[in-house]
Coordinates of all heavy atoms in Angstrom, one line a residue:
K923 N 1.3 -6.5 26.2 CA 0.3 -6.4 25.2 C 0.9 -6.5 23.8 O 0.3 -7.0 22.9 CB -0.4 -5.0 25.4 CG -1.2 -4.9 26.6 CD -1.8 -3.5 26.7 CE -2.7 -3.4 27.9 NZ -3.2 -2.0 28.1
L924 N 2.1 -5.9 23.6 CA 2.8 -6.0 22.3 C 3.2 -7.4 21.9 O 3.1 -7.9 20.8 CB 3.9 -5.1 22.2 CG 3.6 -3.6 22.0 CD1 4.8 -2.7 22.0 CD2 2.8 -3.3 20.7
T925 N 3.8 -8.1 23.0 CA 4.3 -9.4 22.7 C 3.2 -10.4 22.4 O 3.4 -11.3 21.6 CB 5.3 -9.9 23.8 OG1 4.6 -9.8 25.1 CG2 6.6 -9.0 23.9
I926 N 2.1 -10.3 23.0 CA 1.0 -11.2 22.7 C 0.6 -11.0 21.3 O 0.3 -11.9 20.6 CB -0.2 -10.9 23.7 CG1 0.2 -11.5 25.1 CG2 -1.5 -11.5 23.2 CD1 -0.8 -11.1 26.3
E927 N 0.5 -9.7 20.9 CA 0.1 -9.4 19.5 C 1.2 -9.8 18.5 O 0.8 -10.3 17.3 CB -0.4 -8.0 19.3 CG -1.7 -7.7 20.0 CD -2.3 -6.5 19.5 OE1 -1.9 -5.8 18.5 OE2 -3.4 -6.2 20.1
I928 N 2.4 -9.7 18.8 CA 3.5 -10.1 17.9 C 3.4 -11.6 17.8 O 3.6 -12.1 16.7 CB 4.8 -9.7 18.5 CG1 4.9 -8.2 18.3 CG2 6.0 -10.5 17.8 CD1 6.2 -7.6 19.0
N929 N 3.1 -12.4 18.8 CA 2.9 -13.8 18.7 C 1.7 -14.1 17.8 O 1.8 -15.1 16.9 CB 2.6 -14.4 20.1 CG 2.6 -15.9 20.1 OD1 3.4 -16.6 19.4 ND2 1.7 -16.5 20.8
K930 N 0.6 -13.3 17.8 CA -0.5 -13.6 16.9 C -0.1 -13.3 15.4 O -0.5 -14.0 14.6 CB -1.6 -12.6 17.3 CG -2.5 -13.1 18.5 CD -3.9 -12.4 18.4 CE -4.0 -11.2 19.2 NZ -5.3 -10.6 19.3
A931 N 0.8 -12.2 15.2 CA 1.3 -12.0 13.9 C 2.0 -13.1 13.3 O 1.9 -13.5 12.2 CB 2.1 -10.7 13.9
F932 N 2.9 -13.8 14.2 CA 3.6 -15.0 13.7 C 2.6 -16.1 13.4 O 2.9 -16.8 12.4 CB 4.8 -15.3 14.7 CG 6.0 -14.5 14.5 CD1 6.3 -13.6 15.4 CD2 6.9 -14.7 13.5 CE1 7.4 -12.8 15.4 CE2 8.0 -14.0 13.3 CZ 8.3 -13.0 14.3
K933 N 1.7 -16.3 14.2 CA 0.7 -17.4 13.9 C -0.1 -17.1 12.6 O -0.4 -17.9 11.9 CB -0.3 -17.5 15.1 CG 0.3 -18.1 16.3 CD -0.6 -18.2 17.5 CE 0.1 -19.0 18.6 NZ -0.9 -19.1 19.8
L934 N -0.3 -15.7 12.4 CA -1.0 -15.3 11.1 C -0.1 -15.8 9.9 O -0.6 -16.3 8.9 CB -1.2 -13.9 11.1 CG -1.8 -13.2 9.8 CD1 -3.1 -13.8 9.5 CD2 -1.8 -11.7 9.9
I935 N 1.3 -15.6 10.1 CA 2.2 -16.0 9.0 C 2.1 -17.5 8.8 O 2.1 -17.9 7.7 CB 3.5 -15.5 9.3 CG1 3.6 -14.0 9.3 CG2 4.6 -16.1 8.4 CD1 4.9 -13.4 9.8
E936 N 2.1 -18.2 9.9 CA 2.1 -19.7 9.8 C 0.8 -20.3 9.2 O 0.9 -21.2 8.4 CB 2.2 -20.3 11.2 CG 3.6 -20.1 11.8 CD 3.6 -20.5 13.3 OE1 2.6 -21.0 13.9 OE2 4.7 -20.4 13.9
K937 N -0.3 -19.7 9.6 CA -1.6 -20.2 9.0 C -2.4 -18.9 8.7 O -3.2 -18.3 9.5 CB -2.3 -21.0 10.2 CG -3.5 -21.7 9.7 CD -4.0 -22.5 10.8 CE -5.2 -23.4 10.4 NZ -5.8 -24.2 11.4
N942 N -9.5 -14.5 11.6 CA -9.4 -15.0 12.9 C -8.6 -14.1 13.9 O -8.4 -14.5 15.0 CB -8.7 -16.4 12.9 CG -9.6 -17.5 12.3 OD1 -10.8 -17.4 12.2 ND2 -9.0 -18.6 11.9
Y943 N -8.1 -13.1 13.4 CA -7.2 -12.3 14.2 C -7.6 -10.8 14.3 O -8.1 -10.2 13.3 CB -5.8 -12.2 13.5 CG -5.1 -13.5 13.5 CD1 -5.3 -14.4 12.4 CD2 -4.4 -14.1 14.7 CE1 -4.7 -15.7 12.4 CE2 -3.9 -15.3 14.7 CZ -4.0 -16.1 13.6 OH -3.5 -17.4 13.6
K944 N -7.6 -10.3 15.5 CA -7.8 -8.9 15.8 C -6.6 -8.3 16.5 O -6.0 -8.9 17.4 CB -9.0 -8.8 16.8 CG -10.3 -9.3 16.3 CD -11.0 -8.4 15.4 CE -12.4 -8.9 15.0 NZ -12.4 -9.5 13.7
F945 N -6.2 -7.1 16.2 CA -5.1 -6.4 16.7 C -5.5 -5.1 17.2 O -6.2 -4.4 16.6 CB -3.9 -6.3 15.7 CG -3.4 -7.6 15.2 CD1 -3.9 -8.2 14.1 CD2 -2.3 -8.1 15.8 CE1 -3.4 -9.4 13.6 CE2 -1.8 -9.4 15.5 CZ -2.3 -10.0 14.3
K946 N -5.0 -4.8 18.4 CA -5.3 -3.5 19.1 C -4.0 -2.6 19.1 O -4.1 -1.4 19.0 CB -5.9 -3.6 20.4 CG -7.3 -4.3 20.4 CD -7.8 -4.3 21.8 CE -9.2 -5.0 21.8 NZ -9.8 -5.2 23.0
L948 N -0.8 -3.5 17.4 CA -0.2 -3.5 16.1 C -1.1 -3.1 15.0 O -2.3 -3.3 15.0 CB 0.4 -4.9 15.9 CG 1.4 -5.5 16.9 CD1 1.8 -6.9 16.5 CD2 2.6 -4.6 17.1
V950 N -1.5 -4.3 11.3 CA -1.1 -5.5 10.5 C -1.9 -5.6 9.2 O -3.1 -5.5 9.3 CB -1.4 -6.8 11.3 CG1 -0.9 -8.1 10.6 CG2 -0.6 -6.8 12.7

Side-chain angles (χ1 to χ4, degrees):
K923 289 179 182 178
L924 284 177
T925 56
I926 286 169
E927 289 201 2
I928 289 167
N929 188 42
K930 281 202 266 184
F932 278 105
K933 287 181 180 180
L934 176 64
I935 292 169
E936 291 172 358
K937 189 174 184 180
N942 289 341
Y943 295 93
K944 301 276 187 266
F945 294 93
K946 292 183 180 176
L948 299 179
V950 181

